[in-house]
Amino acid sequence: MITQLLSSRNGQEDIQIAARILRAGGLVAIPTETVYGLAADAFNPEAIRNIFKAKGRPQDNPLIVHIADLDALPMLVTSFPESARKLAAAFWPGPLTMVLPKAEQVPGEVSAWLSTVAVRFPSHPIVRQIILAAGTPLAAPSANLSGCPSPTSAEHVFADLSGRIDAIFDGGVCDVGVESTVIALNTPVPTLLRPGGVTLEQLQEVVGEVLVAPAVLNQLKDGEVAASPGMKYKHYAPKCHVILVKGSTEQYIAYVNAHQGENVAALCYEEDVKYLLVDAIPFGKKEHYDEMAHELFDRLRELDQEHFSTVYARCPDPKGVGLAVYNRLIRAAGFEVITLGDET
Ligand code: TXA
Ligand code: MG
């Protein structure tokens, strides 16, 4: 299959082409404000099955359904509780996904046959126009090969999925850079399943108590069931060996410099670069969590291209958007953490 390249430079024409492909049951990679998604008509089971094939995604990992209008909710969910209304008013359109009771007509393929469905109203103008032109909600996981870092540019999507999908719509580099925050609202207390651009602190301000699913911060024990199936997979794994190093700037630099070697690199803060004796790849300034989120996946892909064997990554504070950065990095590191001190 030849993958067609579409672009916002061609304006409405390419939006209509993308919509036609989707209506006919095809797969189109779309830009969103978080990461690129691999979209299909949420009501076409065969198209949904093709998403799983193209990505090599495990069948038990459910997809997020994207809408561009609140009027689409009744065809997707059986209830939209008060907490969901408040969160929608505060954060939609934007990088927040809500897990809600699924309407029967949503194909089981979308939700991995769970009784719930994840719904998101993205803010990126291109995806909104494509959903409206297609006239159907779009199911879309991140548009990477399963296990690779999520794509934050059309080039990343091309590298992973060219030849496997019908089209890629180039909408430039994604703004947020990590996937949406996922919150479950089918539980007695709202539960954070995946941290993202909408922070835990922001969620608590709107709905009060929010539990944090254990899989957000810790590795699941053998046999433990993940509230969000996606959290059980290693994920975001570059091919090199990534180790997360927790400690002060002085401790981090001393540790990395004491472990120099062939093909060793540091995934560090910009301020660290000049003190490091190994190849240093900065992913943002200290405590600039939005910047780190924006850069992280691009840097993880870069690590693979450079063929490093071991990478010592600085551990960000799990505060604000830092929680999302920490959550992705600890998975990239396969939960391997060296603790030199409490300070990050
Ligand atoms: O920002 C995003 O969310 C991007 C863009 C494309 O919108 N999408 C994305 O999709 O990251 P994906 O498939 O890579 O991640 C979806 C996550 C997975 O961890 C999945 O397990 C969880 O959401 N999820 C989906 N439906 C769920 C459900 N019914 N219950 C619990 N978790 C669910
Ligand atoms: Mg994904």
Side-chain angles (χ1 to χ4, degrees), residues 230-288:
M231 284 287 124
K232 76 181 176 206
Y233 297 105
K234 184 175 172 194
H235 244 140
Y236 322 114
K239 294 181 194 79
C240 54
H241 180 195
V242 178
I243 302 166
L244 206 53
V245 181
K246 191 172 179 189
S248 67
T249 299
E250 293 72 23
Q251 287 170 325
Y252 175 76
I253 288 164
Y255 185 87
V256 175
N257 286 345
H259 289 80
Q260 292 177 61
E262 214 182 317
N263 299 328
V264 171
L267 184 64
C268 60
Y269 299 154
E270 273 170 33
E271 296 89 333
D272 305 335
V273 173
K274 60 174 180 263
Y275 302 109
L276 288 164
L277 303 173
V278 302
D279 280 325
I281 297 177
F283 70 113
K285 290 189 219 52
K286 192 174 180 353
E287 287 174 19
H288 287 223

Side-chain angles (χ1 to χ4, degrees), residues 34 37 57 61-62 64 66 116 118 120 141-142 179-180 194 227-230:
T34 56
R57 181 179 177 102
N61 195 1
I64 294 172
H66 298 69
T116 53
R120 173 157 116 78
S142 49
E179 308 88 339
S180 62
R194 179 176 73 181
S228 182

Side-chain angles (χ1 to χ4, degrees), residues 12-306:
Q12 276 306 310
E13 200 178 314
D14 279 8
I15 300 273
Q16 293 304 328
I17 294 172
R20 269 204 300 278
I21 296 171
L22 290 162
R23 273 200 302 271
L27 305 185
V28 181
I30 47 164
T32 86
E33 71 279 17
T34 56
V35 300
Y36 275 73
L38 179 58
D41 177 356
F43 287 95
N44 183 332
E46 200 189 325
I48 302 298
R49 284 194 290 273
N50 287 335
I51 289 183
F52 285 83
K53 277 191 214 145
K55 277 183 60 96
R57 181 179 177 102
Q59 295 285 341
D60 65 349
N61 195 1
L63 308 181
I64 294 172
V65 178
H66 298 69
I67 59 172
D69 187 340
L70 294 179
D71 292 345
L73 283 170
M75 67 172 118
L76 299 172
V77 302
T78 54
S79 79
F80 200 64
E82 183 59 23
S83 53
R85 274 175 221 287
K86 287 187 185 161
L87 290 169
F91 304 115
W92 276 1
L96 178 69
T97 297
M98 300 193 222
V99 172
L100 293 158
K102 183 178 89 69
E104 210 172 312
Q105 57 186 326
V106 177
E109 282 82 355
V110 170
S111 63
W113 285 272
L114 295 173
S115 60
T116 53
V117 62
V119 184
R120 173 157 116 78
F121 187 155
S123 63
H124 197 296
I126 293 175
V127 61
R128 290 171 67 178
Q129 287 175 56
I130 293 175
I131 297 168
L132 293 175
T136 179
L138 298 178
S142 49
N144 50 297
L145 282 175
S146 208
C148 289
S150 290
T152 54
S153 70
E155 289 75 21
H156 293 166
V157 181
F158 189 84
D160 278 15
L161 297 178
S162 173
R164 303 170 78 95
I165 61 176
D166 296 288
I168 299 172
F169 199 112
D170 186 351
V173 172
C174 301
D175 207 18
V176 180
V178 291
E179 308 88 339
S180 62
T181 303
V182 180
I183 188 167
L185 298 174
N186 60 317
T187 45
V189 180
T191 305
L192 179 70
L193 301 182
R194 179 176 73 181
V198 173
T199 65
L200 177 61
E201 295 83 347
Q202 288 176 307
L203 295 170
Q204 287 164 335
E205 254 171 54
V206 174
V207 290
E209 189 187 6
V210 177
L211 299 177
V212 177
V216 167
L217 292 168
N218 302 301
Q219 187 166 24
L220 288 175
K221 296 180 193 72
D222 275 352
E224 203 174 342
V225 177
S228 182
M231 284 287 124
K232 76 181 176 206
Y233 297 105
K234 184 175 172 194
H235 244 140
Y236 322 114
K239 294 181 194 79
C240 54
H241 180 195
V242 178
I243 302 166
L244 206 53
V245 181
K246 191 172 179 189
S248 67
T249 299
E250 293 72 23
Q251 287 170 325
Y252 175 76
I253 288 164
Y255 185 87
V256 175
N257 286 345
H259 289 80
Q260 292 177 61
E262 214 182 317
N263 299 328
V264 171
L267 184 64
C268 60
Y269 299 154
E270 273 170 33
E271 296 89 333
D272 305 335
V273 173
K274 60 174 180 263
Y275 302 109
L276 288 164
L277 303 173
V278 302
D279 280 325
I281 297 177
F283 70 113
K285 290 189 219 52
K286 192 174 180 353
E287 287 174 19
H288 287 223
Y289 302 120
D290 289 338
E291 191 185 337
M292 291 181 206
H294 187 265
E295 298 299 318
L296 182 66
F297 288 141
D298 190 57
R299 291 304 114 84
L300 290 179
R301 282 179 180 259
E302 193 181 324
L303 290 180
D304 273 344
Q305 277 165 8
E306 301 287 340

